[in-house]
Amino acid sequence: MVQSPSKPITLEEFLKLPETKPASEYIDGQIIQKPMPQGKHSTIQTEFSTTINAVLKPQQIARAFSELRCTFGRRSTVPDVSVFTWERIPRDQNGEVANTFPIAPDWTIEILSPDQSQTKVTKNILHCLNHGTQMGWLIDPDEQTVFVYLPKQQPEVFDQSEQKLPVPPFANELNLSVGLVFGWLLE
């Protein structure tokens, strides 16, 4: 859903607005509300964050965040899962995780919802890659397909159950396959 203000709004003005549920994003001067996550989307999102954090967080390699607002490159988006390497996680003066993340994630993961534009989601992934993200995934639960995006490379398509999914170098300890990711829908 696109909400068009009567006059253009700046990123700074957008960031002062109250948060919406589901989250709204600021893209090219427009406020666009994300669709409400449904069962498949929510299941994959939760399992993905849990799996990444179970393997990478205890060793302080990286941490996954669900629905975290990231503001950089004149956009403010809310990827379904944002993964940051440990040393890049913004922190406040107490050493706690900061409330504001003004940088691109190291790995961005988007899960396509039934009424969501694949083009819009792909543009968000490409925006991240253009601002330092190492890898982007677009997961399509209906097609049981994962599109993997790397900077300045052609996307790869993974749709066979036994296919091992590539991960960023910092996440090499993760052993994920197409079958595992979509198997979460059966649990």
Side-chain angles (χ1 to χ4, degrees):
M1 167 193 307
V2 176
Q3 299 167 347
S4 299
S6 54
K7 65 178 186 119
I9 185 169
T10 66
L11 175 59
E12 292 72 22
E13 291 169 330
F14 169 77
L15 292 172
K16 291 177 184 173
L17 295 174
E19 285 289 345
T20 60
K21 290 227 179 211
S24 292
E25 298 180 315
Y26 180 86
I27 300 169
D28 299 329
Q30 292 186 320
I31 299 172
I32 302 168
Q33 190 169 19
K34 293 182 73 167
M36 181 62 76
Q38 296 179 3
K40 291 179 182 183
H41 181 285
S42 183
T43 299
I44 292 171
Q45 181 177 8
T46 300
E47 293 295 332
F48 216 100
S49 293
T50 301
T51 299
I52 290 170
N53 286 333
V55 175
L56 302 178
K57 187 177 151 207
Q59 300 173 61
Q60 296 185 344
I61 294 170
R63 184 173 188 170
F65 298 86
S66 294
E67 300 288 331
L68 175 70
R69 178 167 303 288
C70 299
T71 303
F72 57 91
R74 304 303 304 156
R75 283 185 178 204
S76 186
T77 59
V78 182
D80 293 321
V81 179
S82 300
V83 183
F84 288 85
T85 55
W86 200 261
E87 65 278 358
R88 289 190 68 245
I89 297 171
R91 304 223 175 242
D92 63 19
Q93 64 264 26
N94 297 326
E96 297 175 348
V97 173
N99 281 328
T100 305
F101 278 62
I103 57 174
D106 293 292
W107 183 10
T108 185
I109 297 141
E110 293 281 6
I111 302 143
L112 201 60
S113 294
D115 295 328
Q116 195 170 26
S117 163
Q118 185 168 346
T119 300
K120 178 205 157 293
V121 177
T122 300
K123 285 180 176 181
N124 281 348
I125 292 170
L126 295 175
H127 178 75
C128 287
L129 293 174
N130 287 333
H131 287 85
T133 297
Q134 297 177 34
M135 182 176 284
W137 280 17
L138 173 56
I139 300 172
D140 185 337
D142 288 341
E143 297 290 331
Q144 297 210 343
T145 300
V146 179
F147 295 89
V148 177
Y149 297 84
L150 293 166
K152 301 185 185 338
Q153 291 186 27
Q154 180 174 325
E156 292 185 64
V157 179
F158 295 85
D159 58 3
Q160 302 299 311
S161 183
E162 69 283 351
Q163 284 181 295
K164 184 174 177 0
L165 292 164
V167 295
F170 66 83
N172 277 337
E173 292 186 33
L174 290 171
N175 187 13
L176 301 170
S177 67
V178 172
L180 175 72
V181 170
F182 295 110
W184 291 331
L185 299 174
L186 298 170
E187 297 174 358

